[in-house]
């Protein structure tokens, strides 16, 4: 055992030793603080075992921000390496590991959980529900995502990281990469994928079955609509990923021949399966972003969203199309002209519904009384930036042209324009917009504006030059280049932009601290003063776990806006509210998933079996105890009165 | 979940009477949609790799029609008895419901027994997980189905224990009902395995 640890701890690189030590110190620090302030019990009952969707959402968002930090450090390391020619800051192997972990973390462990965090906090409130349909399952979703992420992340200090790109193409990932790195990728994604699938199921049922009386499908807020469509994409796309990862896990661990070169395996099968999941995955992170922008733009333009129905139709259309375009990711890998043409056309077709949405946002802004608060800045900034990403996407979608752009920095620039201007801008916008709902006070506006400008300018400075680098022939995933290539100038500019984004991130984190200390506490619930949807009808901050003291009655689209128009003040009679009880099994079960995954990564069978037994035992315990846990408890009228009075004051 | 303990009307089946039961059943249908996508992907993989036998034994040499027919019969019958169990549940005959469930489980175990002996036999003949892509696909597909059956058996045993201990309540009835949906689904998938893998395998090459 000791040898095993010694062999796998990575101690040959000063940077990683530094990382090891800082991780160890942070863990000791956290344990010390929790013990010193006697917070263990609080942590356990208030957070680790919670089934409250708002708290689960907050934990998702915190984890996503930590992952944004990790992915961002990876990004800056890459940019540092590429700034000057013939740089020896990173070795080629280390560079491979870093672009792999960067891409994987940003998409799977940052963008998706961030979006799901916001969904968790907001969607049940928007539809006037007390909770999600399956609160227990929701906790399980979060914890399996969390432990999947940890499993993936420890690879860089223990055993070595995956290094075959976030697309993990076969046969490279099977025969070209020894060591446990790829196993970490396969099992980390697999475990967190369970959580994603459960979230998908949970939100479909929640949105379809738990809407407040009067909230018809066509009165649902836009963010709820996009979450519903996203949940459907998840339910049909994630099982494909599950199978795909399992197949390669078998290839690597049990010697099967699905994707090998020898014995009948088909490496192209991996590419197909991966992208059948992978392209819809892109829409899993972008559609909710569209929803967030729709809410914010209509709130701060003080107008109903323009073209609501066409918005709904276009997101549904996009979700269908997203399953029909996957081949555009490998036009150059030997598909026939006919196949490439078909997929080229389906790809370009996506631009149509997307274009409709852009016009709807613009027309919502038109003649609105616009207030440029921080969430609105992100939303308005998104439109032109995302347009660049979209237009370059159509360029890439033309199969013939793709032979030119493929695997060049043009592609890198394109997908950062879509992913960052789309998803990351939306995450920031939603974070600031709903922050008071979560924590009871606003973030500081001035600091927020600094973040916005540093980030947006830094972003464009970083990625615009990369389009040009692509035209100049700089390939993707290259770890260094020579002075004679003539790429130096643009790379320097790009790195400067990257630093700008890093600074923006630090301001954001500082803002959280600053606002916690100095911001005015909110009491009304409708903190921006122009809330249109039901989440603004509840008391502010996470405190009332029952969401609504009385289930609201919905009279039309923009339900809360209409309520405010009516201003009825009748005496409300409260009834006791039923809530589900906390549960410890989700975190324990996910921990066992982690143990099983770790055992498989290193082919330590006894650990894997131990973990597997633990998981089964937890399932059995849950099955036998579910009637007790689902019974829950009642919030008394007294307690409701107390909470609601605080709001009035 | 304000409506957890709300009953609709005495005429609705027990499993639909609580709000949580209705949510669970609907959620389980969505879950089965995901399972459908899962098996569709595995089938697609199997068919893509069909014929990629490079060297190893051919399926037509090793498959045994009689064996698979018996397996199919066992599973089909178990689906039928599982339906009978639900029927008894609707009539509130807890005892006979449990009897039919136990019979269902026995058929399921018989199926598993035959599948495992078949695997042992195949391995003996030189067709293992690592022989070639075709056999990898074969074991992955049938194995995933078999794993589902095994998990189902364990799960249903737990449910029977709960029914014995707590009687037939909206909660336990819901569990019995959902587990029988699951069982029918496995049967449904097996029909595709039987035709797509065994029958075509025996005919082809
Ligand atoms: C915050 C600033 C960011 C910077 C400076 C940055 C920089 C980079 C760099 C230098 C590469 C490697 C290109 C190569 O060598 O081929 C890369 C790849 C990638 N990035 Fe980013 N990135 C950032 C944010 C993001 C975000 C937010 C996402 C996703 C939501 C993302 C997704 C990806 C993906 C998927 C790859 C491809 C990895 C691969 O080739 O396997 N990045 N990024
Ligand atoms: Cu795509």
């Amino acid at each position: 055992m000791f040898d095993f640890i010694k062999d796998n701890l990575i101690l040959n690189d000063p940077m990683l030793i530094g990382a090891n030590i800082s991780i160890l110190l942070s863990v000791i620090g956290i344990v010390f603080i929790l013990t010193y302030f006697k917070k263990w019990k609080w942590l356990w009952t208030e957070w680790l075992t919670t089934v409250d969707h708002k708290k689960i959402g907050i934990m998702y968002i915190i984890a996503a921000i930590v992952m944004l930090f990790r992915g961002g450090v990876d990004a800056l390391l890459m940019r540092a390496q590429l700034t000057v020619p013939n740089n020896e800051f990173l070795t080629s192997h280390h560079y491979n590991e870093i672009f792999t972990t960067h891409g994987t973390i940003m998409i799977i462990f940052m963008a998706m959980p961030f979006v799901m965090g916001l969904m968790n906090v907001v969607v049940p409130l928007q539809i006037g529900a007390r909770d999600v349909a399956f609160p227990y399952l929701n906790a399980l979703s979060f914890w399996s995502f969390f432990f999947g992420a940890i499993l993936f992340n420890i690879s860089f200090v223990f055993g070595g990281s995956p290094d075959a790109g976030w697309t993990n193409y076969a046969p490279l990932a099977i025969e070209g990469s020894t060591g446990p790195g790829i196993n970490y990728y396969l099992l980390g994604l697999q475990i967190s994928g369970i959580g994603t699938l459960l979230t998908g199921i949970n939100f479909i049922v929640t949105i379809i079955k738990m809407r407040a009386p009067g909230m018809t499908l066509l009165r649902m807020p836009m963010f709820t609509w996009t979450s519903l469509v996203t949940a459907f994409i998840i339910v049909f796309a994630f099982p494909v990923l599950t199978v795909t990862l399992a197949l390669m896990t078998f290839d690597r661990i049990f010697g099967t021949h699905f994707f090998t070169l020898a014995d009948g395996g088909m490496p192209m099968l991996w590419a197909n399966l991966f992208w059948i999941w992978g392209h819809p995955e892109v829409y899993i992170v972008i559609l909710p972003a569209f929803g967030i922008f729709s809410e914010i733009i209509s709130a701060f333009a003080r107008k109903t969203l323009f073209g609501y129905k066409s918005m709904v139709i276009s997101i549904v259309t996009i979700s269908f199309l997203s399953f029909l375009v996957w081949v555009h990711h490998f036009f150059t890998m030997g598909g026939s002209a006919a196949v490439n043409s078909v997929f080229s056309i389906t790809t370009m077709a996506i631009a149509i519904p997307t274009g409709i949405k852009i016009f709807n946002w613009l027309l919502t802004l038109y003649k609105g009384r616009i207030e440029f608060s921080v969430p609105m800045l992100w939303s308005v900034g998104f439109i032109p930036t995302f347009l660049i990403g979209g237009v370059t996407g159509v360029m890439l979608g033309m199969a013939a042209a793709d032979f030119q752009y493929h695997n060049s920095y043009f592609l890198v620039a394109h997908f950062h324009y879509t992913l960052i201007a789309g998803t990351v801008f939306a995450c920031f916008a939603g974070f600031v917009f709903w922050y008071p709902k979560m924590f009871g006070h606003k973030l500081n506006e001035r600091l927020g504006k600094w973040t916005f400008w540093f980030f947006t300018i830094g972003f464009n400075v970083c990625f615009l030059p990369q389009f040009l680098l692509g035209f100049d022939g700089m390939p993707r995933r290259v770890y260094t280049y020579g002075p004679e290539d003539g790429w130096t100038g643009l790379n320097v500019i790009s790195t400067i932009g990257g630093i700008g984004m890093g600074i923006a991130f630090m301001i954001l984190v500082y803002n959280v601290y600053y606002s916690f200390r100095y911001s005015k506490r909110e009491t009304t619930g409708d903190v921006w003063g122009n809330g249109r949807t039901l989440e603004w009808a509840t008391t502010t901050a996470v405190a009332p776990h029952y969401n609504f003291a009385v289930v609201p009655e919905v009279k039309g689209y923009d339900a809360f806006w209409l309520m405010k128009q009516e201003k009825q003040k009748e005496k409300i009679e409260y009834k006791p509210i039923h809530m589900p009880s906390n549960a410890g099994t989700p975190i324990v079960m996910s921990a066992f998933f982690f143990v099983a995954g770790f055992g498989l990564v290193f082919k330590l069978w006894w650990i894997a079996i131990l973990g597997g037994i633990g998981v089964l035992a937890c399932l059995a315990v849950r099955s036998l105890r579910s009637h007790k846990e689902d019974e829950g408890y009642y919030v008394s009228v007294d307690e409701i009165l107390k909470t609601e009075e605080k709001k009035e004051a | 979940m304000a409506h957890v303990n709300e009953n609709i009307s005495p005429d609705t089946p027990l499993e639909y009477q609580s709000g949580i039961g209705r949510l669970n059943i609907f959620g389980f249908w969505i879950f089965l949609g995901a399972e459908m996508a899962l098996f569709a992907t595995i089938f697609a993989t199997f068919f893509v790799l069909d014929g990629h036998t490079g060297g190893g034994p051919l399926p037509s040499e090793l498959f045994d029609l009689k064996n698979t027919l018996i397996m199919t019969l066992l599973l089909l019958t178990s689906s039928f008895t599982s339906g009978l169990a639900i029927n008894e549940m609707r009539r509130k005959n807890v005892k006979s419901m449990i009897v039919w469930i136990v019979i269902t489980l026995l058929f399921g175990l018989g199926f598993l027994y035959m599948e495992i002996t078949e695997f042992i036999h195949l391995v003996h003949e030189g067709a293992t997980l690592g022989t070639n892509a075709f056999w990898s696909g074969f074991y992955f597909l049938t194995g995933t189905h078999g794993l589902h059956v095994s998990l189902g058996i364990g799960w249903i045993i737990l449910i029977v224990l709960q029914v014995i201990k707590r009687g037939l309540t909206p909660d336990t009835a819901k569990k019995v009902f959902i587990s029988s949906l699951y069982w029918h689904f496995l049967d449904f998938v097996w029909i595709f395995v039987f035709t797509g893998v065994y029958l075509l395998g025996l005919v082809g090459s």
Side-chain angles (χ1 to χ4, degrees):
Chain A
M1 202 67 231
F2 181 72
D3 280 344
F4 168 71
I5 294 175
K6 205 181 70 194
D7 292 345
N8 283 297
L9 261 186
I10 299 177
L11 298 171
N12 55 5
D13 183 322
M15 240 161 38
L16 287 177
I17 296 179
N20 276 328
I21 293 174
S22 56
I23 290 175
L24 196 69
L25 287 180
S26 334
V27 171
I28 294 174
I30 293 171
V31 170
F32 176 77
I33 290 174
L34 286 172
T35 314
Y36 185 80
F37 290 102
K38 302 205 173 65
K39 287 285 187 193
W40 282 107
K41 187 149 182 284
W42 166 84
L43 189 67
W44 178 256
T45 50
E46 290 291 315
W47 293 94
L48 304 186
T49 60
T50 188
V51 293
D52 181 349
H53 67 93
K54 300 177 283 321
K55 286 187 177 169
I56 289 174
I58 289 173
M59 290 194 290
Y60 263 118
I61 291 172
I62 293 173
I65 290 178
V66 173
M67 286 295 108
L68 179 62
F69 176 72
R70 157 91 211 257
V73 170
D74 281 347
L76 289 178
L77 288 175
M78 284 188 288
R79 279 317 321 161
Q81 164 68 18
L82 290 175
T83 316
V84 289
N86 293 331
N87 200 356
E88 285 175 13
F89 173 56
L90 301 175
T91 61
S92 69
H93 178 241
H94 199 174
Y95 190 85
N96 291 349
E97 293 187 331
I98 290 183
F99 73 64
T100 303
T101 51
H102 165 75
T104 315
I105 285 178
M106 283 299 195
I107 290 183
I108 308 278
F109 300 123
M110 189 284 287
M112 213 168 31
F114 210 132
V115 163
M116 290 193 171
L118 293 173
M119 265 162 68
N120 258 296
V121 172
V122 179
V123 167
L125 292 174
Q126 279 197 333
I127 61 173
R130 285 262 153 71
D131 208 332
V132 293
F134 309 122
Y136 173 90
L137 214 59
N138 206 20
L140 185 59
S141 293
F142 171 74
W143 288 111
S144 60
F145 144 71
F146 183 83
F147 280 100
I150 292 193
L151 184 63
F152 184 86
N153 272 280
I154 58 170
S155 68
F156 94 112
V157 287
F158 197 77
S161 294
D163 54 3
W166 87 281
T167 50
N168 207 46
Y169 278 146
L172 177 68
I174 298 166
E175 285 146 13
S177 184
T178 49
I182 305 287
N183 296 351
Y184 272 123
Y185 171 99
L186 296 168
L187 289 148
L189 263 61
Q190 187 72 280
I191 292 170
S192 69
I194 300 169
T196 311
L197 178 65
L198 296 180
T199 300
I201 295 173
N202 211 341
F203 276 82
I204 291 179
V205 180
T206 305
I207 297 173
I208 291 186
K209 292 276 187 192
M210 312 257 297
R211 277 166 293 142
M215 167 120 5
T216 57
L217 280 179
L218 284 180
R219 285 177 184 175
M220 285 190 332
M222 208 55 216
F223 182 54
T224 301
W225 254 112
T226 52
S227 301
L228 177 63
V229 172
T230 303
F232 272 105
I233 302 183
I234 287 174
V235 166
F236 290 105
F238 264 77
V240 181
L241 178 70
T242 304
V243 171
T244 313
L245 293 171
L247 292 172
M248 192 185 277
T249 309
F250 270 59
D251 269 8
R252 283 187 57 95
I253 296 181
F254 303 114
T256 51
H257 294 286
F258 293 108
F259 309 121
T260 56
L261 282 173
D263 293 309
M266 276 181 62
M268 273 313 286
L269 180 62
W270 170 271
N272 275 292
L273 289 175
F274 181 86
W275 285 113
I276 288 175
W277 161 78
H279 192 86
E281 163 68 15
V282 180
Y283 288 88
I284 292 172
V285 296
I286 200 72
L287 288 181
F290 290 166
I292 294 170
F293 291 131
S294 303
E295 301 295 5
I296 293 177
I297 287 176
S298 105
F300 290 100
R302 295 166 206 269
K303 275 177 68 189
T304 311
L305 189 66
F306 184 89
Y308 172 77
K309 273 190 197 152
S310 64
M311 280 289 208
V312 172
I313 293 171
S314 59
I315 47 172
V316 174
T317 314
I318 290 177
S319 72
F320 276 114
L321 286 176
S322 75
F323 281 92
L324 303 176
V325 301
W326 77 91
V327 170
H328 67 210
H329 293 275
F330 41 91
F331 279 150
T332 57
M333 296 189 198
S336 70
V339 169
N340 278 1
S341 307
V342 169
F343 283 93
S344 185
I345 291 166
T346 51
T347 301
M348 285 188 271
I350 290 199
I352 299 168
T354 314
I356 293 177
K357 302 172 75 69
I358 302 253
F359 281 110
N360 283 336
W361 287 316
L362 291 177
L363 287 167
T364 310
L365 288 170
Y366 180 69
K367 283 195 173 162
R369 282 185 295 133
I370 299 176
E371 181 190 336
F372 281 104
S373 63
V374 175
M376 188 63 162
L377 280 179
W378 288 110
S379 311
V380 174
F382 146 80
I383 296 175
T385 330
F386 188 75
L387 211 59
I388 298 179
V391 169
T392 51
V394 177
M395 289 167 76
L396 286 162
M398 296 185 276
D402 187 52
F403 276 80
Q404 186 63 33
Y405 308 132
H406 172 72
N407 266 358
S408 76
Y409 255 71
F410 186 86
L411 171 75
V412 176
H414 152 71
F415 68 62
H416 283 95
Y417 263 88
T418 51
L419 282 167
I420 295 185
T423 307
V424 178
F425 274 35
C427 289
F428 287 161
F431 182 64
V432 180
F433 188 49
W434 285 304
Y435 195 87
K437 229 353 74 182
M438 298 187 262
F439 299 106
H441 59 86
K442 280 190 194 174
L443 285 171
N444 180 282
E445 282 274 308
R446 253 170 67 95
L447 287 172
K449 286 185 179 158
W450 280 102
T451 311
F452 170 76
W453 288 111
F454 259 101
F455 197 89
T456 310
I457 295 172
F459 166 73
N460 283 289
V461 172
C462 181
F463 290 103
L464 261 183
Q466 296 187 1
F467 286 120
L468 303 176
L469 282 168
F471 288 139
D472 268 356
M474 179 161 157
R476 173 190 187 190
R477 295 178 179 176
V478 67
Y479 99 102
T480 195
Y481 53 91
E484 66 283 0
D485 292 322
W487 300 330
T488 316
L490 288 171
N491 269 308
V492 172
I493 298 176
S494 181
T495 303
I496 293 172
I499 294 170
M501 280 183 276
I503 294 173
F505 180 79
M506 290 190 314
I507 301 176
L508 177 84
V509 174
Y510 175 69
N511 195 352
V512 168
Y513 164 77
Y514 180 88
S515 308
F516 171 70
R517 293 282 306 260
Y518 302 114
S519 269
K520 195 173 124 258
R521 303 298 112 161
E522 295 287 348
T523 47
T524 59
D526 185 18
V527 287
W528 300 99
N530 43 19
R532 310 184 71 86
T533 37
L534 282 179
E535 75 267 32
W536 305 109
T538 63
T539 24
T540 259
V542 91
H545 44 310
Y546 51 76
N547 289 357
F548 297 91
V550 178
V551 173
E553 182 106 17
V554 178
K555 302 235 171 70
Y557 182 64
D558 277 345
F560 183 53
W561 188 261
L562 294 177
M563 280 181 188
K564 283 192 287 191
Q565 249 55 31
E566 284 184 5
K567 284 210 187 69
Q568 14 111 301
K569 264 257 187 286
E570 29 187 290
K571 191 102 183 82
I572 315 164
E573 222 180 285
Y574 297 121
K575 287 193 204 116
I577 295 174
H578 181 266
M579 296 305 294
S581 16
N582 281 12
T585 19
I587 182 170
V588 177
M589 182 147 104
S590 307
F592 278 118
F593 269 124
F594 174 88
V595 172
F598 185 83
L600 284 177
V601 166
F602 288 97
K603 301 195 203 178
L604 292 170
W605 303 120
W606 66 273
I607 295 187
I609 291 170
L610 191 81
I613 292 174
V615 171
L616 289 178
C618 287
L619 283 172
V621 168
R622 163 65 186 174
S623 176
L624 295 173
R625 281 182 46 87
S626 63
H627 63 289
K628 288 222 179 86
E629 281 165 356
D630 290 342
E631 214 167 61
Y633 63 97
Y634 280 90
V635 186
S636 68
V637 175
D638 265 3
E639 198 187 327
I640 301 172
L641 270 174
K642 252 187 230 145
T643 325
E644 297 299 309
E645 267 161 18
K646 248 188 265 158
K647 172 189 174 190
E648 241 84 10
Chain B
M1 281 189 309
H3 30 260
V4 177
N5 299 316
E6 245 167 57
N7 290 358
I8 337 181
S9 90
D11 303 333
T12 36
L14 209 49
E15 66 272 19
Y16 283 102
Q17 274 190 12
S18 68
I20 207 168
R22 293 194 293 277
L23 286 181
N24 276 338
I25 293 168
F26 181 62
F28 198 78
W29 278 107
I30 310 271
F31 171 74
L32 287 183
E35 286 273 73
M36 209 83 95
L38 184 107
F39 276 103
T41 313
I42 301 177
F43 271 107
T45 305
F46 175 82
F47 284 120
V48 165
L49 297 175
D50 196 7
H52 288 226
T53 43
L58 296 175
S60 52
E61 297 163 12
L62 297 189
F63 284 167
D64 176 355
L65 185 60
K66 200 177 107 219
N67 210 46
T68 22
L69 265 177
I70 297 176
M71 282 167 77
T72 309
L73 223 60
L74 282 174
L75 211 57
L76 284 180
T77 321
S78 82
S79 205
F80 180 66
T81 55
S82 152
L84 290 179
I86 296 301
N87 197 35
E88 293 302 323
M89 181 174 93
R90 292 273 161 79
R91 293 165 49 188
K92 306 242 159 58
N93 278 341
V94 182
K95 266 223 184 87
S96 34
M97 177 191 94
I98 292 179
V99 170
W100 284 119
I101 293 180
V102 171
I103 293 175
T104 306
L105 291 181
L106 289 176
F107 278 123
L109 281 172
F111 169 86
L112 271 186
Y113 172 78
M114 298 209 46
E115 182 156 59
I116 292 168
T117 39
E118 189 205 1
F119 283 179
I120 293 173
H121 169 75
L122 289 177
V123 170
H124 216 74
E125 298 287 325
T128 67
L129 202 57
T131 302
N132 54 42
F134 171 81
W135 288 109
S136 298
F138 168 81
Y139 282 108
F140 195 86
L141 174 54
T142 50
T144 308
H145 178 266
L147 185 69
H148 274 76
V149 174
S150 321
L151 285 176
I153 291 176
W155 178 34
I156 294 175
I157 290 175
L158 287 174
I159 293 175
V160 172
L161 290 179
Q162 292 173 58
V163 175
I164 292 173
K165 200 163 153 222
R166 298 194 280 126
L168 204 57
T169 65
D171 183 51
T172 48
K174 164 202 86 190
K175 291 187 180 188
V176 174
F177 182 73
I178 288 180
S179 68
S180 95
L181 284 182
Y182 179 77
W183 198 259
H184 292 311
F185 173 76
L186 294 181
D187 193 28
F188 169 76
V189 171
W190 177 258
I191 293 172
F192 286 89
V193 177
F194 176 62
T195 45
V197 178
Y198 287 98
L199 288 188
L200 287 182
L202 279 166
V203 176
S205 56

